[in-house]
Amino acid sequence: MVNSCGICDGAITPNTPSLKCTGKCRKSIHIKCCGLSETEIGFTQNSKTAWSCKKCVEPSSSPSSSSSQPLTLESVHKLLIQQLTLFKEEIIQSITGRLDDIDSRLRALENDHTVNKKELESVKLSVNSINPNGNMDMETVLNEMEDRRRRQRNLILFNVPESKANTPEVRINADMSATVERLSKLGVGVKPAKVVRLGHNRDLRKPRPLKVIFSNESDAINRSKCQRLN
């Protein structure tokens, strides 16, 4: 029995290479009329995958028929390409985000390295200034550096009148009040941690220097302001 091709209506004999449409027409289709590649034809024949010819998958004017049209290898191929494209974009975005994060961390490490390098150079300069000939041991050098840091928190005031009170506590409170008053004139609202008179002999006609000790270096006043206070 001779059948006709569902696409070109040409004759199809038992020896004619063809594919069976599993769509609405259920007709045999010439291989040349299928519109498939050799790979797709081989896959369909070997796996017995459902396949519909062009006429069966053409869009219909009826909404119900378009919603029930069968999948073809071409439509599956397009769907796979779309999904792979979306997946590739997601992977690229993820990798880009991670690379940006790594770059930020590397920049932060680079900044930390620069800061540490500067601090190391500062320590070297301090050691060289304290021990230019290398004659002092490390403990002496470190003690000297610590002493310098402590002195940076100190301030010496001159010509600050001393209290005539006999009680040490009253005199210390008077010195603290006088110091705070002088600091406030410069717009400095920091209260010292401690004030100490330098020297043992108290002479009210010539006040002893007043040592002002701050809690930290950031609270200490620079030397130019010290000169204005005296």
Side-chain angles (χ1 to χ4, degrees):
M1 180 179 179
V2 178
N3 296 321
S4 61
C5 175
I7 300 297
C8 68
D9 292 329
I12 293 181
T13 65
N15 296 326
T16 302
S18 63
L19 280 179
K20 183 73 173 181
C21 175
T22 58
K24 186 177 180 180
C25 72
R26 299 288 179 174
K27 291 185 177 182
S28 296
I29 310 297
H30 286 131
I31 292 296
K32 64 180 181 179
C33 298
C34 291
L36 302 177
S37 65
E38 293 182 1
T39 302
E40 292 172 331
I41 292 172
F43 175 78
T44 303
Q45 290 175 333
N46 295 331
S47 62
K48 297 182 180 180
T49 302
W51 172 80
S52 298
C53 67
K54 295 179 181 179
K55 288 186 177 181
C56 290
V57 298
E58 285 180 354
S60 173
S61 58
S62 171
S64 59
S65 62
S66 62
S67 61
S68 61
Q69 70 179 32
L71 290 175
T72 64
L73 287 177
E74 292 181 6
S75 61
V76 171
H77 178 71
K78 290 180 180 179
L79 181 61
L80 288 175
I81 292 298
Q82 292 175 354
Q83 294 298 323
L84 287 174
T85 301
L86 293 175
F87 179 72
K88 181 176 68 175
E89 292 177 353
E90 291 178 358
I91 291 296
I92 292 175
Q93 291 178 356
S94 176
I95 293 176
T96 302
R98 292 184 181 182
L99 289 177
D100 291 340
D101 181 62
I102 292 174
D103 182 67
S104 299
R105 293 186 180 185
L106 288 176
R107 291 180 183 274
L109 289 175
E110 184 178 2
N111 292 335
D112 291 342
H113 173 71
T114 302
V115 171
N116 292 335
K117 186 177 180 180
K118 290 181 179 179
E119 291 181 353
L120 180 60
E121 292 296 330
S122 177
V123 170
K124 288 181 178 179
L125 291 175
S126 299
V127 171
N128 291 334
S129 64
I130 296 172
N131 186 23
N133 299 322
N135 296 326
M136 291 190 294
D137 56 55
M138 183 55 66
E139 183 178 359
T140 303
V141 172
L142 293 177
N143 290 337
E144 177 64 22
M145 291 177 63
E146 178 62 26
D147 185 60
R148 288 190 179 189
R149 280 195 292 267
R150 285 197 300 267
R151 288 200 297 268
Q152 290 178 352
R153 299 196 299 266
N154 299 340
L155 175 67
I156 305 298
L157 299 181
F158 297 93
N159 301 322
V160 178
E162 292 193 52
S163 172
K164 298 180 181 180
N166 294 323
T167 306
E169 183 178 356
V170 175
R171 294 198 300 268
I172 292 174
N173 290 335
D175 288 339
M176 178 65 75
S177 298
T179 301
V180 172
E181 180 182 356
R182 282 162 173 74
L183 292 176
S184 63
K185 290 180 180 180
L186 294 176
V188 179
V190 178
K191 184 178 180 179
K194 187 178 181 181
V195 291
V196 179
R197 287 286 178 176
L198 301 179
H200 299 288
N201 298 323
R202 188 157 64 100
D203 186 353
L204 298 180
R205 294 172 301 176
K206 186 178 180 181
R208 292 172 294 172
L210 183 61
K211 181 180 179 181
V212 182
I213 304 172
F214 293 91
S215 299
N216 51 63
E217 296 177 14
S218 62
D219 291 340
I221 305 174
N222 57 45
R223 294 185 179 275
S224 62
K225 290 186 177 180
C226 294
Q227 294 174 357
R228 293 174 57 185
L229 281 171
N230 295 326

